[in-house]
Amino acid sequence: MTNVRLLGEWAILLIASVLLVLVSYHQEWTHRLDATVLDFATEQRLSQPSQDIVVVEIDDRSLQEVGNWPWNRARHAELIDQLQSYGPANIIVDVLFIEPTSPEADAELARAVAEAGNVILPHSFAPEPGTASGTVPAFPLPQLTGAAQALGHVAVLPDRDGVVRRFERQMEVGGESFPHLAVTAAERSGVDVSALSAAPDNPIAPMHASGAFPSISASELLSRSVPPEFLQGKTVLIGATAPGLGDRYSVPDHAGRILSGVEIQANFLNAIKQQQLVYPMAAWQAALIFLAALAALFLSFWRLTPRFGLYLALGLIGGLLALSCGLLIFGGLWLPVVSAIFGIAIAYPLWGWRRLASVSRFLEHEAYSLDEVVKGRGDPSPASGFDPIAQQVSRVRGLIGATSERLTFLRQVLATSPDPMLVFDKEGVLALMNERGQAIFEDQSGDSTLSFQDLAEANEASYDGQKQELELKDGRVYLVARSPLDPEEGSEVIALRDITGLRASEQQRREMLEFLSHDMRSPQVAIIGLAGTLGHTLGEDERRSRIEMQARRTLKLTDDFVQIARLEYEGIEREDTDIGALLHEASDRAYPLAKRKNIVMETRVPVDPEFCQIDASAFSRAIDNLVDNAIKFSPNGKTVSLALRRSADHSIQVEVGDEGPGLPDERMRDTFARFGAHNSKAGPSAGLGLAFVKKVVDEHGGEIEVFSTASDGTRFVLTIPCPASLAG
């Protein structure tokens, strides 16, 4: 499947999921499941009911002691009179007085209501005469309406499952607004209901179970057996609670499933007074949350594996449930999320099915391709499995096994190769590398996105494509041999052959030829000339002196060369040596030469012997070379110093310094080069003396430093490892 096709299916599924979620949310297809979440979260929001709300129940006891229902309205007047004597804040009567009875009883009730001055009466709605669907308010008798403090409707608003969770805070009938009884009562109690009036939807009220509010029987009130403080200053609701008497409604399970009308009114009023009302979230806000959840899910289809995609889908479902409950419990907002969960639950398996179909096609194609690669033909490999997918997986597994065996064989070939080897794919990117190759490109051995040129640059190596040579920053040189694996694709294998020794030998041969053709030839030509006709122009003593000087120069060059060659092929022989005594001997040997130039030899050596295992002969010769150079290049009357000290890391340091003009710039650039730049004015030299010094220090595992300026002269500092345990 191409990416374009896959993207198209992804977009179609996304749009379909969004439409499914929005339609199911609008049509309330998941209402029952959402109601379950709502009831659970609402129960968590419940707090202790207000003790300022008291219910006067017209219960079985009242019917037994006072008489059967309906009561004479004079009895209701007596009930209000008795209640008013306790000084309640408000009296809410949840009994409809719409139809007239006897004039005397109706008048008595109107009197009691008027004298109380704080009675709130209910009204209902009835079908409008002469219409099929119209309604009109059904008020109490006119004399009762005029006597009441306020009116409020008692219509309930059951949800689609028949459970009462919310109330119609204000009904619009015939262009007039009629507030709910609980809203009217709350407003008369001094509660600010402006937010309730401005809310776009009817609120949800958490319901307490029957008996949660303080209550008394109407018969107790009529018998005046109620303590005064129980009713004083309270909001009192009067209503029927006896079974079969009055209205009863279905409520959530945590509220007992069934409540009488007066208890529902008490719950509504309590929720308003305690600000426990829950308001449905605006539809556009809910839509944004649902879209964000679906977007996260569908983006994960591109970035996450199926396992982690499943984890994300489950996480989104749990997150939506947690968000819904959290908003309701702590923010008083209701977000029904089951429609979004339904969309996620549908979208994930649908996308999984489409990907499975894509994987099936891919396995079939790859099995055919691998058959061609492994067997050289496209015939299907044998497979076993319960269903087509399992059979395809079995075929690919077998072919991958065969390919893996070939790859393992190739790795073994690479591993046993004595040379570093690298394999690059058709894109020129590193695919395989043996251990010897990893030793060269150790910093990038784990990076399989680099070309050969990238590897060379990352390791600061220089690659000469014309000579096919790779020179590393440490001086190693490799010959690069390339061989194509598949000329059509462009893949190749590169082998590196270490030619560092060969290049060093070539360099030495070049230096040897230069040495023989120039440095050794020059004094010999001079001797021949002095012995021939050119020498007759000089005095005999002068001629012999010059011949002797050129002969000594030849001998010195030969001796220096032989000593370097001996070190290269034989190495050093260590023995316990007193370094201080060795420096004193070097100073003594240099004394005659220093005396001729009136140079002072200054030797600073500790009193106690400093023993170290070194090659005494080679080390003495190296010191002699440095001292001789210091004397040769120092002006008359100066000082040449030798110093010995032991450093904190148990190495010994030998310092040879002079007060000469310093090394020339060309010599400072490569102080220890063989046959390097030299000044013949000071005596026979071809740079072999300093090269010998460097070779001796290297053989001892030490270091040598050079400090040279025209004003302060030159100092050579030799540092040789020498553990304290070797000291004498």
Side-chain angles (χ1 to χ4, degrees), residues 556-557 559-561 563-564 567 582-583 586-587 589-590 593 617-633 640 642 656-658 663 667 672 684-685 687-696 704 716 718:
K556 178 68 166 58
L557 291 172
D559 189 43
D560 286 344
F561 184 80
Q563 291 299 326
I564 291 178
L567 279 178
L582 189 146
L583 294 187
S587 179
R589 287 191 294 272
L593 180 61
S617 175
F619 200 80
S620 294
R621 188 177 185 87
I623 299 301
D624 287 345
N625 286 350
L626 293 176
V627 172
D628 287 349
N629 284 344
I631 294 174
K632 290 174 185 178
F633 291 101
V640 172
L642 284 86
V656 178
D658 62 45
L663 295 176
R667 192 62 179 175
F672 304 103
S685 172
L688 292 177
L690 291 180
F692 178 81
V693 173
K694 182 66 166 60
K695 184 64 176 176
V696 170
I704 183 169
F716 289 86
L718 285 62

Side-chain angles (χ1 to χ4, degrees), residues 19-189:
L19 292 176
L20 175 65
V21 169
L22 295 180
V23 171
S24 64
Y25 172 78
H26 184 264
Q27 297 296 326
E28 298 184 355
W29 291 347
T30 59
H31 169 75
R32 288 190 177 274
L33 293 175
D34 280 318
T36 301
V37 178
L38 172 61
D39 292 342
F40 169 79
T42 304
E43 183 181 4
Q44 313 310 311
R45 186 173 171 81
L46 285 174
S47 60
Q48 187 69 24
S50 173
Q51 299 302 300
D52 290 334
I53 298 176
V54 179
V55 177
V56 176
E57 299 181 354
I58 303 175
D59 54 5
D60 286 338
R61 177 182 173 183
S62 301
L63 296 179
Q64 292 173 2
E65 296 182 3
V66 177
N68 292 329
W69 191 263
W71 289 348
N72 188 288
R73 288 182 179 171
R75 183 66 69 182
H76 287 287
E78 181 184 359
L79 189 63
I80 293 174
D81 288 338
Q82 293 289 358
L83 181 58
Q84 183 57 32
S85 66
Y86 286 96
N90 286 291
I91 301 174
I92 304 169
V93 181
D94 187 26
V95 179
L96 292 172
F97 301 111
I98 298 175
E99 299 296 332
T101 60
S102 66
E104 296 80 7
D106 292 341
E108 180 64 14
L109 179 57
R111 178 202 58 80
V113 171
E115 289 181 358
N118 58 355
V119 177
I120 302 173
L121 294 178
H123 72 87
S124 183
F125 296 93
E128 183 177 5
T131 65
S133 59
T135 59
V136 292
F139 293 116
L141 297 175
Q143 60 268 41
L144 294 177
T145 300
Q149 181 189 27
L151 300 178
H153 77 82
V154 289
V156 295
L157 188 65
D159 288 345
R160 292 181 60 176
D161 57 358
V163 176
V164 175
R165 299 182 179 89
R166 64 194 81 206
F167 61 94
E168 190 83 38
R169 69 194 190 287
Q170 193 160 297
M171 290 192 68
E172 302 289 336
V173 176
E176 293 187 63
S177 296
F178 301 94
H180 193 275
L181 181 67
V183 176
T184 301
E187 189 173 16
R188 296 297 175 176
S189 299

Side-chain angles (χ1 to χ4, degrees), residues 38 61 87 185 200 215 233 246 252 306 314 321 335 351 444 496 589 696 727:
L38 172 61
R61 177 182 173 183
S215 63
L314 295 176
L321 289 173
L335 171 65
W351 179 255
Q444 286 76 32
L496 305 179
R589 287 191 294 272
V696 170

